[in-house]
Amino acid sequence: MRDSNGNDHQTSVIGYDFLTDLAVIKINDNLKPITFGKIENVRVGDISLAIGNPLGVGQTITLGIVSATDKEISPEAYSYQRYVQTDAAINPGNSGGPLVNSLGQVIGINTFIFRDYESNRGSVGIGFAIPINFAKKIADELKLKGVIDRRVSIGFSANRILYGENRDQVGLFIDKVDYSDTARNEELYRGDIIVAAEGYKVESLDEIKAVLIKLDLRAGDDIKLTVVRENDLLDVNLTLGEV
């Protein structure tokens, strides 16, 4: 790997996560690392600087402000998490570079921009970065395991059902709960109708899985399910199990 001063460094890949496009690389030299900020200290209106090599022109730094710190993106390709939004110019080649605050601390990893596909132009002032706390979580897991294992067990089966007085509401009818599963699911019962997971409306098991991906949950993590039980709306807890 070559740094901004033109010096070459021997590197090795510790691990790579395909979903977030993040990797941990070991550099076999004693370099001074950049410091990390804390996402909880970032505020809308804070100065943000995007560092990278956009369009192959060499290292650049663009200045902007933080527009949002917990932005959920609507396109399905980016629905797995929330982002730091900035109006600092981010172009192809900025991806993977740091988004830093006025103290030079990393607050995110530059990822993508909204693009106007009709004109094939990037949308001005709408860039997104993976929050540093999320990136650190991925990096720590890659350093420990070398891979990100998002496989989990929920310990029940369910099917889409129409319910309500006029059968005009959609939910997931639990037809079987396996209490011997690795998941801790003792608060669930056969006949419960799941209508939401962590506040997100769900109408299929695939949509529950999408919520798990969005929140980047793992085996051992807890998730709140909202169920209809005997006409009452209840919140119950589920601890995800290992596969």
Side-chain angles (χ1 to χ4, degrees):
M1 185 187 74
R2 179 167 295 176
D3 64 23
S4 59
N5 295 318
N7 300 316
D8 291 322
H9 301 275
Q10 290 186 339
T11 62
S12 57
V13 177
I14 301 301
Y16 175 69
D17 178 34
F18 287 91
L19 183 64
T20 59
D21 199 26
L22 291 175
V24 172
I25 299 174
K26 181 179 180 181
I27 299 178
N28 300 319
D29 289 297
N30 187 22
L31 301 177
K32 184 179 179 180
I34 193 169
T35 58
F36 291 154
K38 295 182 178 180
I39 198 65
E40 58 266 28
N41 294 336
V42 179
R43 298 290 182 267
V44 172
D46 285 355
I47 289 175
S48 58
L49 300 101
I51 302 174
N53 181 19
L55 305 174
V57 301
Q59 179 175 300
T60 63
I61 301 177
T62 53
L63 172 67
I65 63 169
V66 173
S67 306
T69 60
D70 191 30
K71 187 72 171 181
E72 183 175 1
I73 308 304
S74 55
E76 291 184 1
Y78 302 111
S79 64
Y80 60 86
Q81 65 183 58
R82 296 171 180 268
Y83 292 84
V84 176
Q85 181 179 330
T86 178
D87 67 351
I90 294 178
N91 292 288
N94 276 111
S95 298
L99 184 72
V100 304
N101 60 18
S102 59
L103 300 176
Q105 300 169 329
V106 181
I107 58 173
I109 306 297
N110 301 324
T111 304
F112 70 99
I113 57 173
F114 267 147
R115 180 171 293 279
D116 181 353
Y117 287 98
E118 292 186 1
S119 63
N120 198 33
R121 297 175 59 188
S123 298
V124 177
I126 310 179
F128 299 92
I130 296 175
I132 190 58
N133 59 323
F134 182 87
K136 286 173 63 179
K137 175 184 176 181
I138 295 295
D140 289 342
E141 192 168 348
L142 287 174
K143 286 190 290 184
L144 182 64
K145 302 178 181 179
V147 295
I148 304 296
D149 187 359
R150 292 183 173 87
R151 297 174 302 163
V152 298
S153 176
I154 56 177
F156 66 85
S157 59
N159 293 288
R160 189 173 184 268
I161 189 175
L162 296 175
Y163 71 98
E165 185 176 348
N166 299 317
R167 296 182 61 81
D168 57 354
Q169 300 181 69
V170 182
L172 274 173
F173 179 85
I174 297 181
D175 53 33
K176 181 181 179 182
V177 181
D178 182 2
Y179 296 112
S180 64
D181 192 87
T182 56
R184 292 181 55 186
N185 52 14
E186 59 269 13
E187 294 187 27
L188 291 172
Y189 295 94
R190 183 180 183 278
D192 285 347
I193 300 174
I194 301 172
V195 296
E198 286 295 324
Y200 293 94
K201 183 179 179 182
V202 293
E203 298 181 357
S204 68
L205 286 176
D206 284 341
E207 290 185 352
I208 291 181
K209 293 176 182 178
V211 172
L212 301 184
I213 293 174
K214 182 188 295 288
L215 301 177
D216 200 48
L217 299 180
R218 306 281 193 277
D221 289 337
D222 295 328
I223 184 171
K224 180 180 69 177
L225 300 176
T226 303
V227 304
V228 176
R229 180 183 298 163
E230 297 180 351
N231 297 321
D232 291 326
L233 200 61
L234 305 172
D235 287 333
V236 298
N237 292 316
L238 169 71
T239 302
L240 302 172
E242 296 181 348
V243 175

